[in-house]
Amino acid sequence: MTDRGPAQGRHVPVMRDRILDLLAPALEQPGAVHVDATLGMGGHAEGVLERFPESTVVGIDRDREALALAGERLARFGDRFRPVHAVYDEIKDVVADLHLPAVDGILFDLGVSSLQLDEADRGFAYRVDAPLDMRMDQSTGQTAADVLNTYSVDDLTRILRDYGEERFARKIAKAVVHDRAVEPYTSSGRLVEMLRRVIPAASQRQSGHPAKRTFQALRIEVNDELEVWRRAIDEAIDVLAVGGRIAVLSYHSLEDRATKRAFAAGATSSTPPGLPVELPEHAAYLSLVTRGAEMPDDAEVTANPRAASARLRVAERVRDTHSSTSSASSTDSTTDSRTRKGTPR
């Protein structure tokens, strides 16, 4: 890893104080375990460790450089911080490997980290010319260049339309295929030049930088972000203790929609219509802490423009759905789960 400088000066965690307030009922008890499933450079994790001094944080990230920088930032907390190299849809395996029956808090910050945006050689930022990589874990998987140079017009159109919500998806896809026949795409600068040429000037004036939607779509495709997220949200809810809370920061309508659906499903009774009483095993297992999605205030967006598109949803686990614990939960389904917790080891 190159010397990038300390994480503290490079990362402003989005909606940190509001998230800490919403997670507080689950994390303020001694022995609370929190999973920061998208650790990044550790800004949110640092807030948890500072505000809840008897808590432990498990930090998950697929980016080894982010883990190293966060480890330096959080070293002062000793073994209260446990870094894990994994993708966040592996959260259930991570929790099992640490011999934890459940956790009290979970946070997903689904945006691109400051580390990835700020490093030119990662290819995430469209304002600098860089290799078209965009992998969050640079040790594996296809790059953005691979996508541009191998996908068909139809497949490129699909990802630009679905993941980037790009109005000119097919026009761009055709231009990519035409240009790569002359010379394969290797750098972001050439891609940006093509987008400036292909996207109508009027649209560029109205919708901001012409590359932002294409770069978003490529990043989502390269890292399989939406499929990973759909798996991860269910896994996370499954490892959340009764009384535990899960917070999700999303920056894209498709991510937010998947979060909304998962939370709504858990907060809705599945008792068949027409029955006179609700069946306990069909009762809602989540309670919505935020009604709809909360957004950062104007002051935060001014101080940190990357927060502008953030949407925060929080839910609390109110019922255990695991059959192996049904006999215990039948006595009192709201018993404080902390009485059965271990600590990471």
Side-chain angles (χ1 to χ4, degrees), residues 37-59:
T38 49
L39 180 65
M41 287 191 286
H44 288 108
E46 183 178 53
V48 170
L49 290 163
E50 287 177 342
R51 180 159 172 181
F52 309 109
E54 296 186 74
S55 67
T56 297
V57 171
V58 177

mmCIF file of all heavy atoms in Angstrom, residues 37-59:
data_model
loop_
_atom_site.group_PDB
_atom_site.id
_atom_site.type_symbol
_atom_site.label_atom_id
_atom_site.label_comp_id
_atom_site.label_asym_id
_atom_site.label_seq_id
_atom_site.Cartn_x
_atom_site.Cartn_y
_atom_site.Cartn_z
ATOM 1 N N ALA A 37 -20.545 -2.766 8.331
ATOM 2 C CA ALA A 37 -20.393 -3.705 7.215
ATOM 3 C C ALA A 37 -19.756 -3.077 5.981
ATOM 4 O O ALA A 37 -19.438 -3.784 5.028
ATOM 5 C CB ALA A 37 -21.753 -4.299 6.844
ATOM 6 N N THR A 38 -19.599 -1.758 6.002
ATOM 7 C CA THR A 38 -18.925 -1.035 4.917
ATOM 8 C C THR A 38 -17.940 -0.070 5.568
ATOM 9 O O THR A 38 -18.114 1.145 5.533
ATOM 10 C CB THR A 38 -19.942 -0.282 4.048
ATOM 11 O OG1 THR A 38 -20.820 0.471 4.911
ATOM 12 C CG2 THR A 38 -20.772 -1.237 3.214
ATOM 13 N N LEU A 39 -16.899 -0.607 6.142
ATOM 14 C CA LEU A 39 -16.002 0.135 7.032
ATOM 15 C C LEU A 39 -15.406 1.376 6.395
ATOM 16 O O LEU A 39 -15.328 2.433 7.037
ATOM 17 C CB LEU A 39 -14.887 -0.800 7.515
ATOM 18 C CG LEU A 39 -13.853 -0.184 8.455
ATOM 19 C CD1 LEU A 39 -14.492 0.212 9.774
ATOM 20 C CD2 LEU A 39 -12.712 -1.175 8.680
ATOM 21 N N GLY A 40 -14.970 1.277 5.132
ATOM 22 C CA GLY A 40 -14.301 2.414 4.508
ATOM 23 C C GLY A 40 -13.089 2.827 5.327
ATOM 24 O O GLY A 40 -12.294 1.988 5.760
ATOM 25 N N MET A 41 -12.947 4.116 5.569
ATOM 26 C CA MET A 41 -11.820 4.599 6.363
ATOM 27 C C MET A 41 -12.162 4.794 7.835
ATOM 28 O O MET A 41 -11.433 5.437 8.579
ATOM 29 C CB MET A 41 -11.247 5.869 5.747
ATOM 30 C CG MET A 41 -10.476 5.561 4.468
ATOM 31 S SD MET A 41 -9.505 6.946 3.827
ATOM 32 C CE MET A 41 -10.797 7.961 3.159
ATOM 33 N N GLY A 42 -13.292 4.224 8.268
ATOM 34 C CA GLY A 42 -13.556 4.093 9.694
ATOM 35 C C GLY A 42 -14.195 5.268 10.390
ATOM 36 O O GLY A 42 -14.234 5.298 11.626
ATOM 37 N N GLY A 43 -14.758 6.214 9.670
ATOM 38 C CA GLY A 43 -15.352 7.384 10.318
ATOM 39 C C GLY A 43 -16.555 7.053 11.172
ATOM 40 O O GLY A 43 -16.665 7.514 12.314
ATOM 41 N N HIS A 44 -17.499 6.263 10.644
ATOM 42 C CA HIS A 44 -18.661 5.874 11.440
ATOM 43 C C HIS A 44 -18.246 4.957 12.588
ATOM 44 O O HIS A 44 -18.755 5.073 13.718
ATOM 45 C CB HIS A 44 -19.695 5.165 10.564
ATOM 46 C CG HIS A 44 -20.409 6.076 9.617
ATOM 47 N ND1 HIS A 44 -20.181 6.061 8.267
ATOM 48 C CD2 HIS A 44 -21.347 7.041 9.837
ATOM 49 C CE1 HIS A 44 -20.958 6.967 7.685
ATOM 50 N NE2 HIS A 44 -21.674 7.576 8.615
ATOM 51 N N ALA A 45 -17.328 4.022 12.318
ATOM 52 C CA ALA A 45 -16.873 3.106 13.371
ATOM 53 C C ALA A 45 -16.216 3.869 14.510
ATOM 54 O O ALA A 45 -16.423 3.558 15.693
ATOM 55 C CB ALA A 45 -15.895 2.088 12.784
ATOM 56 N N GLU A 46 -15.437 4.886 14.190
ATOM 57 C CA GLU A 46 -14.809 5.705 15.218
ATOM 58 C C GLU A 46 -15.860 6.378 16.085
ATOM 59 O O GLU A 46 -15.727 6.453 17.314
ATOM 60 C CB GLU A 46 -13.915 6.748 14.562
ATOM 61 C CG GLU A 46 -13.137 7.616 15.547
ATOM 62 C CD GLU A 46 -12.226 8.588 14.825
ATOM 63 O OE1 GLU A 46 -12.733 9.329 13.939
ATOM 64 O OE2 GLU A 46 -11.022 8.626 15.138
ATOM 65 N N GLY A 47 -16.932 6.863 15.453
ATOM 66 C CA GLY A 47 -18.006 7.490 16.214
ATOM 67 C C GLY A 47 -18.656 6.528 17.189
ATOM 68 O O GLY A 47 -18.952 6.880 18.338
ATOM 69 N N VAL A 48 -18.896 5.287 16.761
ATOM 70 C CA VAL A 48 -19.484 4.275 17.645
ATOM 71 C C VAL A 48 -18.554 3.977 18.811
ATOM 72 O O VAL A 48 -18.979 3.939 19.979
ATOM 73 C CB VAL A 48 -19.782 2.987 16.851
ATOM 74 C CG1 VAL A 48 -20.161 1.844 17.797
ATOM 75 C CG2 VAL A 48 -20.910 3.224 15.845
ATOM 76 N N LEU A 49 -17.284 3.771 18.531
ATOM 77 C CA LEU A 49 -16.325 3.417 19.583
ATOM 78 C C LEU A 49 -16.147 4.549 20.588
ATOM 79 O O LEU A 49 -15.956 4.296 21.786
ATOM 80 C CB LEU A 49 -14.987 3.041 18.951
ATOM 81 C CG LEU A 49 -14.999 1.711 18.175
ATOM 82 C CD1 LEU A 49 -13.790 1.622 17.256
ATOM 83 C CD2 LEU A 49 -15.032 0.528 19.133
ATOM 84 N N GLU A 50 -16.221 5.776 20.133
ATOM 85 C CA GLU A 50 -16.083 6.920 21.042
ATOM 86 C C GLU A 50 -17.347 7.117 21.881
ATOM 87 O O GLU A 50 -17.259 7.350 23.089
ATOM 88 C CB GLU A 50 -15.807 8.187 20.237
ATOM 89 C CG GLU A 50 -14.407 8.255 19.653
ATOM 90 C CD GLU A 50 -14.180 9.498 18.802
ATOM 91 O OE1 GLU A 50 -15.183 10.118 18.378
ATOM 92 O OE2 GLU A 50 -13.010 9.834 18.554
ATOM 93 N N ARG A 51 -18.498 7.037 21.264
ATOM 94 C CA ARG A 51 -19.745 7.342 21.978
ATOM 95 C C ARG A 51 -20.193 6.205 22.888
ATOM 96 O O ARG A 51 -20.811 6.452 23.937
ATOM 97 C CB ARG A 51 -20.845 7.666 20.968
ATOM 98 C CG ARG A 51 -22.175 7.991 21.632
ATOM 99 C CD ARG A 51 -23.070 8.769 20.747
ATOM 100 N NE ARG A 51 -24.404 8.909 21.311
ATOM 101 C CZ ARG A 51 -25.402 9.537 20.729
ATOM 102 N NH1 ARG A 51 -25.219 10.122 19.550
ATOM 103 N NH2 ARG A 51 -26.588 9.619 21.301
ATOM 104 N N PHE A 52 -19.894 4.961 22.515
ATOM 105 C CA PHE A 52 -20.336 3.805 23.305
ATOM 106 C C PHE A 52 -19.098 3.052 23.795
ATOM 107 O O PHE A 52 -18.671 2.072 23.170
ATOM 108 C CB PHE A 52 -21.244 2.913 22.459
ATOM 109 C CG PHE A 52 -22.365 3.668 21.788
ATOM 110 C CD1 PHE A 52 -22.353 3.882 20.414
ATOM 111 C CD2 PHE A 52 -23.416 4.182 22.531
ATOM 112 C CE1 PHE A 52 -23.369 4.589 19.785
ATOM 113 C CE2 PHE A 52 -24.440 4.901 21.919
ATOM 114 C CZ PHE A 52 -24.419 5.104 20.548
ATOM 115 N N PRO A 53 -18.511 3.488 24.896
ATOM 116 C CA PRO A 53 -17.188 2.991 25.319
ATOM 117 C C PRO A 53 -17.149 1.529 25.750
ATOM 118 O O PRO A 53 -16.056 0.978 25.903
ATOM 119 C CB PRO A 53 -16.826 3.919 26.484
ATOM 120 C CG PRO A 53 -18.125 4.471 26.966
ATOM 121 C CD PRO A 53 -19.005 4.572 25.766
ATOM 122 N N GLU A 54 -18.305 0.912 25.934
ATOM 123 C CA GLU A 54 -18.300 -0.508 26.296
ATOM 124 C C GLU A 54 -18.743 -1.398 25.127
ATOM 125 O O GLU A 54 -19.088 -2.562 25.317
ATOM 126 C CB GLU A 54 -19.195 -0.738 27.510
ATOM 127 C CG GLU A 54 -18.682 -0.031 28.771
ATOM 128 C CD GLU A 54 -19.488 -0.367 29.999
ATOM 129 O OE1 GLU A 54 -19.337 -1.492 30.513
ATOM 130 O OE2 GLU A 54 -20.288 0.485 30.441
ATOM 131 N N SER A 55 -18.701 -0.837 23.941
ATOM 132 C CA SER A 55 -19.089 -1.594 22.748
ATOM 133 C C SER A 55 -17.862 -2.135 22.023
ATOM 134 O O SER A 55 -16.733 -1.698 22.240
ATOM 135 C CB SER A 55 -19.883 -0.707 21.790
ATOM 136 O OG SER A 55 -19.042 0.312 21.261
ATOM 137 N N THR A 56 -18.119 -3.104 21.153
ATOM 138 C CA THR A 56 -17.109 -3.650 20.251
ATOM 139 C C THR A 56 -17.599 -3.441 18.821
ATOM 140 O O THR A 56 -18.797 -3.587 18.544
ATOM 141 C CB THR A 56 -16.905 -5.157 20.500
ATOM 142 O OG1 THR A 56 -16.414 -5.348 21.826
ATOM 143 C CG2 THR A 56 -15.908 -5.747 19.510
ATOM 144 N N VAL A 57 -16.687 -3.098 17.914
ATOM 145 C CA VAL A 57 -17.042 -2.899 16.510
ATOM 146 C C VAL A 57 -16.310 -3.912 15.644
ATOM 147 O O VAL A 57 -15.091 -4.059 15.734
ATOM 148 C CB VAL A 57 -16.699 -1.474 16.037
ATOM 149 C CG1 VAL A 57 -16.862 -1.359 14.513
ATOM 150 C CG2 VAL A 57 -17.586 -0.447 16.730
ATOM 151 N N VAL A 58 -17.074 -4.612 14.823
ATOM 152 C CA VAL A 58 -16.522 -5.482 13.787
ATOM 153 C C VAL A 58 -16.608 -4.706 12.481
ATOM 154 O O VAL A 58 -17.693 -4.303 12.071
ATOM 155 C CB VAL A 58 -17.312 -6.803 13.682
ATOM 156 C CG1 VAL A 58 -16.764 -7.663 12.536
ATOM 157 C CG2 VAL A 58 -17.277 -7.554 14.999
ATOM 158 N N GLY A 59 -15.480 -4.464 11.843
ATOM 159 C CA GLY A 59 -15.452 -3.677 10.617
ATOM 160 C C GLY A 59 -15.182 -4.545 9.399
ATOM 161 O O GLY A 59 -14.143 -5.184 9.313
#
